[in-house]
Amino acid sequence: MRKLLDGLYDGAAWLAALCMIGVLAMVLLSIVSRLVGWHVPGTDAYAGYAMAGAGFLALAHTLKRNEHIRVTLVIGRLTGSARKGMEMWALSVAVLLSGLFAYYAARLAWQSHAFHDISTGNDATPLWVPQLAMVAGTWVLFIAFVDEWVLEWRGQRRLNDSQETHHE
């Protein structure tokens, strides 16, 4: 199961990297097309879609690599069962919020598809298409938080080097 989950997080990170390449491609296409006097419509919108996709798809991988910013002012002073309790509470809230985020992201994409919502820019892209990256990213983040919750509950969660590792 661990190999499957890590593969999911890494796959989402690779998709985020491809989105960043997409941003670069759109920016370069926009610059080159202006230099040669040939306008390519929609490059700004597609760069924006790719940037949003990169951000959402990278969330879980960043979480699992302990690269999200954590404010440890309170929890850093706790030890033992008090710290574990606070970690479980924080992760429970994170699971709840990320689950709601994933649900409502999927609902938004579904509604965009149902209502035939399109971009107001000159690209006229059906909005559900770029919203799929947000949906995928939020669902993978939700899975990652559930994974972290289970690891913390089992006492197997690894934190940053500056934080203690739980093996209770």
Side-chain angles (χ1 to χ4, degrees), residues 14-28 50-51 54:
W14 277 101
L15 289 175
L18 288 175
C19 285
M20 288 302 295
I21 293 169
V23 172
L24 174 65
M26 289 298 105
V27 170
L28 289 176
M51 181 61 76

Side-chain angles (χ1 to χ4, degrees), residues 24 29 47 88 138 142 145 158:
L24 174 65
L29 180 60
M88 289 301 297
T138 55
F142 170 68
F145 270 122
R158 293 188 45 86

Side-chain angles (χ1 to χ4, degrees), residues 142-159:
F142 170 68
I143 292 167
F145 270 122
V146 170
D147 183 16
E148 288 292 296
W149 190 93
V150 169
L151 289 172
E152 181 67 29
W153 181 64
R154 290 181 174 173
Q156 298 171 337
R157 188 161 167 251
R158 293 188 45 86
L159 300 173

Side-chain angles (χ1 to χ4, degrees), residues 6 12 40 47 59 64 75 92 96 107 116 139-140 143 154-155 158:
D6 288 343
V40 178
L59 286 171
K64 295 304 287 183
I75 207 164
S92 296
L96 174 68
R107 184 175 176 212
H116 305 290
W139 277 102
V140 175
I143 292 167
R154 290 181 174 173
R158 293 188 45 86

Side-chain angles (χ1 to χ4, degrees), residues 1-137:
M1 183 62 131
R2 171 63 29 219
K3 199 173 199 177
L4 177 70
L5 289 172
D6 288 343
L8 176 66
Y9 309 139
D10 289 344
W14 277 101
L15 289 175
L18 288 175
C19 285
M20 288 302 295
I21 293 169
V23 172
L24 174 65
M26 289 298 105
V27 170
L28 289 176
L29 180 60
S30 178
I31 291 169
V32 170
S33 69
R34 272 184 260 164
L35 288 174
V36 298
W38 179 53
H39 176 68
V40 178
T43 54
D44 292 342
Y46 288 119
Y49 302 149
M51 181 61 76
F56 281 104
L57 289 166
L59 286 171
H61 190 265
T62 306
L63 173 71
K64 295 304 287 183
R65 297 278 189 251
N66 294 313
E67 297 295 330
H68 282 281
I69 296 172
R70 252 179 84 121
V71 180
T72 58
L73 185 64
V74 174
I75 207 164
R77 299 184 191 284
L78 300 175
T79 59
S81 62
R83 181 174 180 130
K84 183 171 177 105
M86 185 63 83
E87 288 280 2
M88 289 301 297
W89 178 83
L91 286 168
S92 296
V93 171
V95 166
L96 174 68
L97 292 176
S98 64
L100 288 169
F101 193 16
Y103 169 78
Y104 282 105
R107 184 175 176 212
L108 174 66
W110 179 259
Q111 287 175 340
S112 292
H113 182 268
F115 298 139
H116 305 290
D117 201 7
I118 61 170
S119 168
T120 57
N122 58 3
D123 61 308
T125 301
L127 287 179
W128 67 270
V129 175
Q131 288 170 350
L132 288 179
M134 177 180 69
V135 172

